[in-house]
Amino acid sequence: MERSPGEGPSPMDQPSAPSDPTDQPPAGHAKPDPGSGGQPAGPGAAGEALAVLTSFGRRLLVLIPVYLAGAVGLSVGFVLFGLALYLGWRRVRDEKERSLRAARQLLDDEEQLTAKTLYMSHRELPAWVSFPDVEKAEWLNKIVAQVWPFLGQYMEKLLAETVAPAVRGSNPHLQTFTFTRVELGEKPLRIIGVKVHPGQRKEQILLDLNISYVGDVQIDVEVKKYFCKAGVKGMQLHGVLRVILEPLIGDLPIVGAVSMFFIRRPTLDINWTGMTNLLDIPGLSSLSDTMIMDSIAAFLVLPNRLLVPLVPDLQDVAQLRSPLPRGIIRIHLLAARGLSSKDKYVKGLIEGKSDPYALVRLGTQTFCSRVIDEELNPQWGETYEVMVHEVPGQEIEVEVFDKDPDKDDFLGRMKLDVGKVLQAGVLDDWFPLQGGQGQVHLRLEWLSLLSDAEKLEQVLQWNRGVSSRPEPPSAAILVIYLDRAQDLPMVTSELCPPQLKKGNKEPNPMVQLSIQDVTQESKAVYSTNCPVWEEAFRFFLQDPQSQELDVQVKDDSRALTLGALTLPLARLLTAPELILDQWFQLSSSGPNSRLYMKLVMRILYLDSSEICFSTMPGYPGAWDVDSENPQRGSSVDAPPRPCHTTPDSQFGTEHVLRIHVLEAQDLIAKDRFLGGLVKGKSDPYVKLKLAGRSFRSHVVREDLNPRWNEVFEVIVTSVPGQELEVEVFDKDLDKDDFLGRYKVSLTTVLNSGFLDEWLTLEDVPSGRLHLRLERLTPRPTAAELEEVLQVNSLIQTQKSADLAVALLSIYMERAEDLPLQKGTKQPSPYATLTVGDTSHKTKTISQTSAPVWDESASFLVRKPHTESLELQILVSQHSGVEAHSHSYSHSSSSLSEEPELSGGRPHFTSSAPELRQRLTHVDSPLEAPARPLGQVKLTVWYYSEERKLVSIVHGCRALRQNGRDPPDPYVSLLLLPDKNRGTKRKTSQKKRTLSPEFNERFEWELPLDEAQRRKLDVSVKSNSSFMSRERELLGKVQLDLAETDLSQGIARWYDLMDDKDKGSS
């Protein structure tokens, strides 16, 4: 393992080019940036001196005519006359230059204005002008114009015979509702252009109609009961209507059905008449337009669509009316930069900043971010998930606004076709804002929909490592097609609440569908106990294994429940293709009441294989996953492996991220003395958080420009969305003060392999931190191990000896023939894997002698010649039986061997080469180690740079049990011969266990020569009882530090003895 070299500046600092340069207005000539480098200091100073000398020379030339006139003996009048001629000539020349500059400026302004006008108005031109694949359809407009009067007659009949009765039945106050006038007018709808999308699917024809309607439609309604008249006089509608002809069949009329919908919200403008003129009051007009737009969106804007079947008994009507989404896009709204300032103070004399927030929209799906106060470079860090129904066509739109008390100011907008996200898989870029200034940073991930339930566990594991707010990431979607119900109970006087008792009548049923805290409602179908809804509903699922679908069939008043159904979603995971299409019996309803639904679940899968992580050339010893993979061990003489012994495709693909915390500059001073009168400095240290692990540097005393030069290593995967969180604090006695933070996206590091930057700390006035990040990629070969060790030894850090040289990946699958407890009871086993001071504990499998774990773990190997891999199979105390352990300690340098051990037979694999062990079965379990009092695992070394003696208490095993219950052990350490509290250290207490794990570190500040004169007394104790302060001694050991090698720091197991015989092993 070695560092990947970095060449050139980091990609994080390079602003991305606009994604669509053709959408940018033409700009004038670029002016040089005076702050972007320029000439070096030397040539600039010489040029300035030359300019001064030239100016002085010109002044001297003016005096030459005066000198010549005096030498010749001419009078002063000649000099004044010559000066007047020169000034007149200079004035004429300046006027000509001024006229030329004005003409040139006028020409430039005209060119810019013309280009800007054309750019701003190109959207108002017909689509076939800008896009050659959009065709004119004048022949179609002529047909529509001729059909338009007859379409008006049909609409009048439809409204009078179908819509009006439905409105009258929906509300008792509207029983006198009528249409008094229905006229579509003389101006027909026009089709500006038609675009045909070839090559989509052979069984469908896909058309986009760019429609424009500026009509003189007049529709008047009247509610006679309240003497109320209202109406619409004139309407405008502009948008893109998608028409899908499918399926194509072999019989007439060739097309089975026609689907129509608007891809995006159309532009709508309505002129109200009658009492609705009151809605022209500011604040009410927009509300009315919004309500009408919501009605249209619920009817014809995706994901809703109008389906017109053209043949009887059409198959898959539900699939045509509400098809599954094409995919899911996970939108990470990260940040923005360079926004314009809109806030003004003192009547515009003082310019402030902005309070930006963003609106993210795809079709009818809209999300609003939180507001960042007083910031032109906001950091949101929010994640949204949207369903994509049509590719191409749908667009992701992000609008940025400045939050104000009265009206929010517009800061800019960006649009992106979802087809680009589908093509890229993962798109992470800065996008320029149109109509304003600045850029917005988005990370877009395309999630495919899979019907494979086996992928769910992998997706859930990925989601646990992804930070997402305001909602956790989804693992699946559920699409419910609500078809119909049969034999719902009648609304009788007994069933109605007292305020609703009106005798027996047919219900007005509607359905409420709920998953956790998300509820969706269907429309109400009036006066029937066999309603037909034919509606679709879509839900995002975080964990389908534990969630349930709750269905409530209610009357339109919501006060009466007609039936209920609770369906665990885990049932779908075992269904074919994750689909349930059937009748469901309703509870708390009639004996024959049932509901017909079709439920389809799909797993959201991000194909990480499409994300390319380039491998940079490195020094000898660098890991390389692209190298040829050697044979993973031999299967000769090996027993037949179980049927599920192959790990998933993500096993062994981890990387190692090496984090160099180098130095910082210009940190803020937090220390104060004498009640704040005297300003001090700070005692800074750095905290790192990544992949569920935390690291902390040492403290640098009294320094605002500290140098740490420390290295930390962490195992990372290629799961997108990971971030390294860096925080700087000032060490204090009570509470540490905050000095700044920064979040680094791992995408750049995993792609480039190297990042070396000064990071400007956020949320503080000043300060920056120097970090170097290296991606180390494993290479499955041991030939270059010595070179890697040599390269690591050249790295000048405080702990260069602790740098990892290899990565060990272990797949723990199962065990077989574990011994029974007390002869007949099945154990509840779990396994622990330990390499050095790092341990991994598997899940506990209850009541079985053949557990299946199916887990993987990875370890950093620092000393492959001396470190060992230790496997323990333990029995959980919760099973109520005595805990026995089967321990196996094996040198990492001989992983290819297969020694014979007693106990069970676990199967597991490691990355290279493969590690297997066969354990022969015996009738009685063996405790390991075979000692009466057990063992304790310690690491002891001397940290010479900080003059500290350091000890790590890892854990104990096979402790004795004197009573009926297991002990509550803890470890006490005492540095003899001192027995005072100053040298005493104690671990935390573990409850009811014979094999506790502590992994706690303790330090003593003293010189090395004094440490070698001490003895470390280690005692394992347990509380005697709840009411007593006495401690039961489980065993102890004394380490003579003079006989201990304090320079190595190797973890060892020490035998515990009683108080009469204190030795060390």
Side-chain angles (χ1 to χ4, degrees):
M1 167 165 48
E2 76 161 8
R3 298 176 294 172
S4 301
E7 299 180 1
S10 168
M12 185 179 295
D13 289 340
Q14 301 293 335
S16 302
S19 58
D20 189 4
T22 61
D23 199 36
Q24 298 288 344
H29 300 288
K31 296 182 180 181
D33 186 3
S36 61
Q39 298 294 331
E48 185 177 354
L50 182 60
V52 172
L53 292 176
T54 303
S55 177
F56 182 71
R58 289 178 178 176
R59 290 332 184 248
L60 290 179
L61 289 177
V62 175
L63 298 177
I64 291 178
V66 179
Y67 172 76
L68 293 177
V72 178
L74 298 178
S75 64
V76 181
F78 286 98
V79 178
L80 296 177
F81 179 73
L83 182 60
L85 288 177
Y86 172 75
L87 293 177
W89 170 80
R90 184 64 180 266
R91 181 178 179 181
V92 173
R93 180 185 175 186
D94 290 344
E95 288 181 355
K96 288 183 178 181
E97 291 181 352
R98 190 159 43 249
S99 300
L100 289 174
R101 283 197 300 269
R104 190 179 297 111
Q105 182 67 30
L106 180 61
L107 180 61
D108 293 342
D109 291 344
E110 183 179 1
E111 290 178 353
Q112 293 181 6
L113 181 61
T114 303
K116 183 177 180 181
T117 304
L118 287 176
Y119 169 73
M120 295 300 294
S121 62
H122 84 279
R123 300 178 188 272
E124 302 174 3
L125 296 175
W128 51 267
V129 175
S130 303
F131 306 100
D133 55 350
V134 177
E135 302 175 4
K136 297 175 63 176
E138 287 302 322
W139 62 272
L140 192 56
N141 288 324
K142 294 177 181 179
I143 296 176
V144 173
Q146 190 167 354
V147 173
W148 192 253
F150 301 94
L151 182 61
Q153 297 176 14
Y154 170 75
M155 288 295 299
E156 183 177 2
K157 184 183 299 184
L158 176 67
L159 294 177
E161 298 179 0
T162 305
V163 177
V167 173
R168 287 193 290 266
S170 64
N171 195 309
H173 299 290
L174 300 178
Q175 293 180 355
T176 58
F177 176 88
T178 57
F179 286 95
T180 59
R181 184 177 184 180
V182 177
E183 292 182 3
L184 292 187
E186 298 180 357
K187 297 180 180 179
L189 179 142
R190 288 188 55 81
I191 300 174
I192 306 301
V194 178
K195 180 178 180 179
V196 181
H197 295 275
Q200 294 293 317
R201 286 161 47 186
K202 293 183 178 180
E203 65 273 12
Q204 70 172 201
I205 300 174
L206 194 149
L207 307 171
D208 280 346
L209 305 182
N210 192 344
I211 65 174
S212 175
Y213 177 59
V214 183
D216 51 353
V217 59
Q218 186 166 353
I219 301 176
D220 294 335
V221 299
E222 182 180 4
V223 182
K224 296 181 180 179
K225 180 178 180 180
Y226 298 99
F227 304 101
C228 178
K229 294 183 179 181
V232 174
K233 186 176 183 180
M235 182 175 64
Q236 294 189 25
L237 180 67
H238 308 277
V240 177
L241 181 69
R242 174 157 292 183
V243 179
I244 301 179
L245 309 178
E246 69 170 337
L248 300 181
I249 56 179
D251 295 325
L252 292 177
I254 305 301
V255 178
V258 179
S259 301
M260 293 177 288
F261 53 87
F262 285 99
I263 297 179
R264 292 177 290 276
R265 281 177 176 263
T267 303
L268 176 66
D269 186 17
I270 299 176
N271 182 29
W272 302 96
T273 62
M275 74 166 188
T276 52
N277 287 328
L278 298 175
L279 299 178
D280 290 336
I281 300 175
L284 297 181
S285 178
S286 61
L287 176 62
S288 173
D289 289 344
T290 302
M291 294 170 58
I292 299 298
M293 281 300 301
D294 290 342
S295 300
I296 294 178
F299 185 59
L300 271 185
V301 177
L302 275 177
N304 307 296
R305 59 185 71 201
L306 176 64
L307 178 69
V308 181
L310 301 180
V311 296
D313 301 327
L314 185 64
Q315 299 294 327
D316 295 330
V317 176
Q319 179 66 22
L320 293 174
R321 183 174 280 111
S322 301
L324 285 174
R326 291 285 305 276
I328 305 297
I329 292 183
R330 185 170 290 159
I331 304 174
H332 299 270
L333 176 65
L334 302 178
R337 63 186 180 190
L339 300 180
S340 58
S341 58
K342 291 292 185 177
D343 294 342
K344 309 293 182 185
Y345 306 101
V346 195
K347 295 185 178 180
L349 296 178
I350 301 177
E351 182 176 351
K353 295 186 178 181
S354 292
D355 308 317
Y357 69 94
L359 287 178
V360 181
R361 185 181 295 112
L362 179 69
T364 59
Q365 306 167 83
T366 304
F367 306 91
C368 182
S369 74
R370 70 184 194 277
V371 179
I372 308 296
D373 295 328
E374 295 291 329
E375 183 62 64
L376 299 181
N377 301 289
Q379 301 279 338
W380 288 294
E382 298 186 10
T383 303
Y384 314 105
E385 293 170 331
V386 294
M387 298 184 184
V388 179
H389 297 272
E390 288 295 323
V391 180
Q394 287 192 279
E395 290 181 337
I396 298 173
E397 182 178 1
V398 179
E399 292 181 319
V400 185
F401 293 90
D402 168 38
K403 185 68 176 177
D404 283 332
D406 48 359
K407 183 180 179 181
D408 298 344
D409 297 319
F410 178 72
L411 298 179
R413 172 191 296 113
M414 66 78 59
K415 290 184 179 181
L416 181 70
D417 193 280
V418 296
K420 296 183 179 179
V421 185
L422 173 60
Q423 183 180 4
V426 175
L427 194 59
D428 191 337
D429 206 347
W430 287 91
F431 298 92
L433 294 174
Q434 304 295 336
Q437 68 180 38
Q439 295 175 312
V440 62
H441 187 190
L442 298 179
R443 177 183 174 84
L444 308 171
E445 301 168 351
W446 180 272
L447 306 179
S448 303
L449 305 183
L450 303 183
S451 58
D452 185 4
E454 296 181 356
K455 293 290 186 181
L456 180 60
E457 282 298 332
Q458 180 180 351
V459 173
L460 290 174
Q461 183 178 0
W462 283 358
N463 288 351
R464 294 187 191 104
V466 176
S467 60
S468 174
R469 62 180 184 185
E471 298 292 338
S474 301
I477 65 166
L478 177 66
V479 179
I480 304 173
Y481 181 71
L482 178 64
D483 191 353
R484 65 188 65 214
Q486 282 186 354
D487 298 329
L488 295 179
M490 302 292 289
V491 179
T492 62
S493 300
E494 291 77 12
L495 293 177
C496 284
Q499 67 272 20
L500 297 177
K501 290 186 177 180
K502 296 182 180 180
N504 297 348
K505 65 174 185 177
E506 290 186 333
N508 302 324
M510 52 82 62
V511 180
Q512 291 180 340
L513 302 104
S514 302
I515 296 179
Q516 286 187 345
D517 56 347
V518 179
T519 300
Q520 299 185 37
E521 292 186 352
S522 73
K523 63 184 179 182
V525 181
Y526 296 96
S527 302
T528 178
N529 66 340
C530 296
V532 177
W533 291 284
E534 293 184 343
E535 291 187 64
F537 305 90
R538 301 160 185 86
F539 293 88
F540 283 102
L541 308 176
Q542 277 77 40
D543 187 0
Q545 297 173 340
S546 60
Q547 293 178 294
E548 293 181 338
L549 170 65
D550 179 69
V551 182
Q552 299 284 332
V553 183
K554 296 185 177 182
D555 191 65
D556 187 30
S557 62
R558 274 67 166 184
L560 177 62
T561 300
L562 304 176
L565 170 67
T566 300
L567 180 67
L569 297 182
R571 180 176 168 185
L572 272 165
L573 297 175
T574 59
E577 297 295 323
L578 306 184
I579 297 176
L580 289 178
D581 189 0
Q582 64 184 58
W583 287 97
F584 295 90
Q585 187 68 33
L586 294 174
S587 61
S588 303
S589 186
N592 298 321
S593 300
R594 55 180 185 168
L595 189 69
Y596 193 85
M597 294 188 300
K598 180 179 181 180
L599 293 85
V600 181
M601 182 186 294
R602 289 294 181 263
I603 310 300
L604 305 184
Y605 187 75
L606 175 63
D607 190 0
S608 58
S609 63
E610 297 180 359
I611 308 173
C612 178
F613 296 102
S614 59
T615 303
M616 299 183 63
Y619 299 109
W623 301 355
D624 187 5
V625 293
D626 298 328
S627 302
E628 184 178 358
N629 221 350
Q631 183 70 23
R632 284 192 164 201
S634 173
S635 59
V636 179
D637 298 331
R641 306 185 68 182
C643 57
H644 296 289
T645 190
T646 303
D648 56 36
S649 59
Q650 302 298 320
F651 174 71
T653 61
E654 297 91 347
H655 304 269
V656 176
L657 184 66
R658 181 171 290 172
I659 308 170
H660 298 258
V661 181
L662 302 177
E663 57 183 323
Q665 289 182 356
D666 300 330
L667 299 180
I668 57 177
K670 286 290 186 178
D671 294 342
R672 298 289 189 272
F673 305 101
L674 299 178
L677 297 177
V678 179
K679 184 177 180 181
K681 295 185 178 181
S682 292
D683 307 319
Y685 67 92
V686 180
K687 289 179 66 175
L688 306 172
K689 294 181 182 179
L690 177 63
R693 298 194 59 188
S694 299
F695 304 92
R696 174 173 166 173
S697 71
H698 69 277
V699 179
V700 179
R701 300 292 180 183
E702 294 292 327
D703 198 341
L704 300 181
N705 300 285
R707 296 181 64 87
W708 292 283
N709 197 25
E710 291 193 48
V711 179
F712 305 94
E713 294 173 324
V714 62
I715 301 172
V716 296
T717 62
S718 57
V719 175
Q722 298 182 91
E723 290 182 332
L724 169 64
E725 184 176 345
V726 185
E727 294 181 316
V728 185
F729 292 91
D730 167 39
K731 183 66 176 176
D732 283 332
L733 296 177
D734 48 0
K735 182 181 179 181
D736 297 346
D737 296 319
F738 177 73
L739 297 182
R741 69 165 55 92
Y742 196 89
K743 290 185 178 180
V744 182
S745 174
L746 292 192
T747 304
T748 303
V749 183
L750 294 178
N751 279 320
S752 64
F754 186 82
L755 179 66
D756 190 345
E757 279 194 0
W758 281 92
L759 307 177
T760 302
L761 297 176
E762 299 174 349
D763 301 332
V764 288
S766 67
R768 58 179 191 156
L769 180 67
H770 189 188
L771 285 186
R772 181 187 301 132
L773 306 179
E774 301 170 325
R775 182 208 67 209
L776 308 178
T777 309
R779 174 179 293 174
T781 175
E784 299 172 346
L785 178 61
E786 293 301 327
E787 298 181 50
V788 176
L789 290 170
Q790 183 179 2
V791 171
N792 284 355
S793 65
L794 299 177
I795 300 177
Q796 301 297 323
T797 64
Q798 294 186 2
K799 298 182 180 180
S800 57
D802 294 338
L803 297 179
V805 299
L807 179 65
L808 177 65
S809 297
I810 302 173
Y811 177 65
M812 189 75 178
E813 185 191 332
R814 64 178 64 200
E816 296 177 356
D817 301 331
L818 295 182
L820 301 178
Q821 299 296 317
K822 295 185 179 180
T824 59
K825 291 186 177 181
Q826 293 280 358
S828 297
Y830 66 92
T832 61
L833 299 165
T834 304
V835 174
D837 57 355
T838 306
S839 297
H840 172 77
K841 178 182 176 182
T842 67
K843 58 188 176 185
T844 301
I845 310 299
S846 60
Q847 304 297 319
T848 179
S849 60
V852 178
W853 290 291
D854 194 19
E855 293 186 30
S856 61
S858 298
F859 300 90
L860 293 175
V861 180
R862 295 174 174 84
K863 301 175 182 177
H865 299 298
T866 58
E867 283 186 304
S868 61
L869 167 66
E870 179 179 315
L871 165 68
Q872 286 184 285
I873 301 178
L874 306 170
V875 177
S876 173
Q877 291 300 309
H878 299 290
S879 62
V881 298
E882 183 178 358
H884 296 284
S885 65
H886 307 276
S887 176
Y888 168 46
S889 181
H890 191 188
S891 172
S892 298
S893 60
S894 57
L895 291 177
S896 58
E897 301 176 3
E898 295 186 355
E900 297 291 332
L901 301 173
S902 10
R905 185 174 63 222
H907 298 268
F908 60 96
T909 65
S910 65
S911 59
E914 186 171 75
L915 173 61
R916 298 198 194 99
Q917 52 177 325
R918 296 194 301 271
L919 305 180
T920 58
H921 176 68
V922 294
D923 293 334
S924 60
L926 297 178
E927 282 98 354
R931 299 292 183 190
L933 300 183
Q935 287 185 326
V936 60
K937 186 176 183 180
L938 302 172
T939 301
V940 183
W941 80 94
Y942 188 80
Y943 192 4
S944 58
E945 294 192 7
E946 294 191 2
R947 296 168 58 86
K948 290 181 181 180
L949 177 67
V950 182
S951 175
I952 296 179
V953 181
H954 301 282
C956 305
R957 63 185 181 187
L959 298 178
R960 67 179 179 180
Q961 180 175 341
N962 294 329
R964 183 182 61 181
D965 297 326
D968 299 334
Y970 68 92
V971 178
S972 174
L973 297 96
L974 196 62
L975 203 56
L976 301 178
D978 295 338
K979 294 186 178 182
N980 54 24
R981 290 182 175 271
T983 63
K984 188 176 181 179
R985 307 287 189 270
K986 186 174 71 171
T987 68
S988 58
Q989 192 174 31
K990 305 299 179 181
K991 297 294 184 180
R992 301 174 62 85
T993 177
L994 297 177
S995 299
E997 296 180 4
F998 302 102
N999 292 322
E1000 298 184 27
R1001 171 173 172 153
F1002 304 98
E1003 299 177 350
W1004 294 266
E1005 293 188 5
L1006 72 169
L1008 177 60
D1009 54 352
E1010 183 179 349
Q1012 293 175 341
R1013 294 194 298 267
R1014 301 293 189 101
K1015 291 185 178 181
L1016 182 62
D1017 183 84
V1018 182
S1019 302
V1020 182
K1021 300 180 181 181
S1022 175
N1023 288 335
S1024 296
S1025 65
F1026 176 74
M1027 300 298 295
S1028 173
R1029 298 187 61 183
E1030 297 181 2
R1031 303 292 185 263
E1032 176 188 4
L1033 180 65
L1034 302 179
K1036 66 187 311 179
V1037 62
Q1038 279 190 4
L1039 304 182
D1040 189 350
L1041 300 183
E1043 301 176 359
T1044 304
D1045 187 1
L1046 299 179
S1047 63
Q1048 295 297 324
I1050 301 176
R1052 291 185 55 191
W1053 286 100
Y1054 296 90
D1055 297 332
L1056 294 173
M1057 304 296 178
D1058 56 21
D1059 201 12
K1060 299 178 181 179
D1061 184 13
K1062 297 173 288 187
S1064 64
S1065 171

